[in-house]
C-alpha cells in the first residue's frame, strides 16, 4: 500500500513560516544546536522547521521546542493562527 501525502495548502505554508519566525525570535542568541538538544531534536529538524521546509511539525515536536524556549503552546497558537481563514 502506497501512502500519498496530501499537498499542503497555502495557509499551512504560511502558518509554518510564522512558526519558524517565532522559533527564531525566541531562540535569540542561543545556537540552533543548543535549542535542538534541549528539545531532544536534531539541529537539522529544527533548521527545517525554522526555515519552513517542515511547515507542519508533529505536536510533540512543537511542545518540546516550546518547553526548550520557554514558550507556552498558547503563545505559539496565538502567533501562528491565520486570521480570516
Amino acid at each position: 500500500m502506497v501512502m500519498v501525502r496530501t499537498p499542503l495548502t497555502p495557509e499551512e505554508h504560511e502558518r509554518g513560516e510564522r512558526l519558524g519566525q517565532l522559533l527564531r525570535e525566541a531562540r535569540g542568541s542561543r545556537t540552533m544546536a543548543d535549542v535542538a538538544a534541549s528539545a531532544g531534536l536534531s539541529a537539522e529538524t529544527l533548521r527545517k522547521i525554522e526555515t519552513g521546509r517542515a511547515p507542519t511539525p508533529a505536536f510533540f515536536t512543537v511542545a518540546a521546542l516550546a518547553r526548550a524556549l520557554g514558550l507556552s503552546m498558547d503563545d505559539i497558537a496565538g502567533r501562528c493562527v491565520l486570521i480570516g481563514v
Side-chain angles (χ1 to χ4, degrees):
M1 175 188 311
V2 175
M3 298 195 60
V4 177
R5 184 177 178 135
T6 305
L8 298 177
T9 66
E11 291 81 16
E12 289 169 320
H13 281 288
E14 172 69 20
R15 192 171 45 236
E17 289 174 10
R18 287 180 184 213
L19 175 61
Q21 180 179 352
L22 172 62
L23 296 177
R24 284 190 306 276
E25 290 171 5
R27 184 164 56 84
S29 63
R30 292 174 65 185
T31 67
M32 197 174 281
D34 176 50
V35 172
S38 294
L41 307 171
S42 71
E44 182 59 22
T45 296
L46 179 54
R47 181 177 294 105
K48 286 178 180 177
I49 295 168
E50 283 191 1
T51 60
R53 287 183 22 233
T56 58
F59 173 82
F60 290 104
T61 299
V62 176
L65 286 167
R67 185 180 61 249
L69 293 168
L71 297 169
S72 74
M73 293 300 281
D74 285 339
D75 292 336
I76 292 172
R79 289 273 308 272
C80 296
V81 72
L82 299 176
I83 305 303
V85 173

